[in-house]
Amino acid sequence: MNQHSPKSSDTITRGPARAPARAMLRATGMTDEDFAKPMIGVINTWSTITPCNMHLDKLADAAREGVREAGGFPVDFNTVVVSDGITMGTEGMRASLISREVVTDSIELAVRGHSLDGIIILAGCDKTIPAAAMALVRADIPGCILYGGTIMPGRKGDQELSIQDVFEAVGAHACGSIDDAELEAVEKAACPGEGACGGQFTANTMAMMLSFLGLSPMGVNDIPAPHPDKPDAARKCGIRAVELVEAAVNPRRFITPKSLRNAAIAASASGGSTNAVLHLAAIAAEAGIAFSIDTFDEVSSEAPVITDLKPGGRFLAHHMFLAGGTRLFGQRLMQAGRIADTPTVSGAGLFEEFSKAEESPNQRVIHSVENPVKPDGGFRVLYGDVAPEGAVLKLSGHSRSAFAGTARVFECEDDAFAAVEANQIKAGDVVIIRCEGPQGGPGMREMLAVTAALVGQDLSEDVALITDGRFSGASKGFVIGHVSPEATAGGAIGLLMDGDRIHIDVEARRIDTDADLSARRRSMITPQPNRMGGVFDKYAHLVSSASRGAVTAPPPARQATSKTTQTHREQEIFA
């Protein structure tokens, strides 16, 4: 960038009136030469509380090196992370989804408060990844996102483990299938070091989606956390962030109806996390683009599951990286005509990136569309008496196409988990967990403790679970989440009673009950959100429905971009 070219950071570095700001910046080590360089925020979610993020400080070193190498000046900011795995099943889990909004807001404040020219965001645990995308799109300044990478498999004898195995071992322990020593052995072996949870759970699903959206350079997110190539990937992201500033390429250009659909297909065809539905809607909202969660249902009909990944399959993200990674996965979808070509932050189009795929001989992780792992994609969006605004069913991880059973109603996750631990849930039950939605929880807790305990008791195929909360990407079984409206918003799920017959029809996209809900509504007392004070009450007051991404920010002060303008954006980037 030419020394005299205008840039955002000139707001705090140029002119006599900015002498006080420059004086303070000089104290940090900046020089006259540095003031002329683009100021790149290296924004980190590093923390020692979770393996998902504990190595990001080292990646930040490499990212700063890349920024300097490309002629930029790096400045560091940190934000928070709330670990889903550690808080799962506790009151702390209510903080998880709320943290997505806090991370997004804090990045926006750092960017706008200091007039940064560009950013690179380092993300790890589940909510920091969509938050990075939301913040990048909201601020709309040049930059890219680097995911810290998957953890390596744990090992116990000949068995490879992930955190999913620990949660399922808890259920097996509760029903007496394993003893204390076996549970402890699984616990100690499952997580060998740095990196995010190893299956196609939320972190790896979202990292893949960022590549399909074009916000992460292709291939960098695939590299496992401890892999020797990861620091160089961070360095190259630092370089690319400066190049994007030089080329004035802003991230909203990448968020189009085509790229959003591509990302939904990636989540579905990889058997990914239902959290993808929530987060993609939120990213679209930040871009001011109308997006329906029905997109996930549509793409699930168009593209089958073609990866054999946990929680429903056999392999972990590390194995997918070795097989050929996101490039090979995307190439399969490209060859079958299931996705569209869109631009990416690398400067190359999606199809050009996928054409570079290298498949490992005899790999068994990534299949073709013609020879899929499952004939349908990973999701169904259901409507009906119980969910007038929709609910999300995860198809991978079970084999049922319908379920009819008797409601067992619980007012919170804790009560349901206690019932499972006490072996009170039986085959044919439909477990209803309500008042756990975005507003009611508040924070829409994940139900992995409950679903994994049911798996551990060998009930995952014989019990359905319905909630206005959500599920971990590691959850499997006949599970339906994001029921909207939620109970505390007057939703029908709040009217259900023990003993009601519940009917779920996957192909008809229906979730209904025989109960006369209209009669009950006349005397319904809508439950109030769980009052916790502070940020929790503020979130409950502001948050939107899960069907709209559970966002707290108002819509952008602009019209949703027209199809013509979106096409122009894509042509401009490809040019």
Side-chain angles (χ1 to χ4, degrees), residues 407-489:
R408 293 287 309 279
V409 180
F410 300 93
E411 302 301 327
C412 65
E413 177 192 10
D414 311 77
D415 291 349
F417 183 70
V420 175
E421 275 210 308
N423 298 306
Q424 294 173 359
I425 303 301
K426 307 300 180 186
D429 285 345
V430 179
V431 177
I432 308 291
I433 306 177
R434 63 192 181 198
C435 302
E436 290 284 8
Q439 179 189 95
M444 206 176 181
R445 286 194 289 183
E446 293 179 351
M447 306 293 154
L448 178 57
V450 177
T451 60
L454 290 171
V455 171
Q457 294 183 15
D458 201 26
L459 286 170
S460 62
E461 288 283 340
D462 301 312
V463 169
L465 196 158
I466 300 171
T467 180
D468 53 10
R470 58 197 174 93
F471 295 106
S472 164
S475 290
K476 62 181 181 181
F478 202 75
V479 297
I480 300 169
H482 307 200
V483 171
S484 300
E486 61 178 292
T488 51

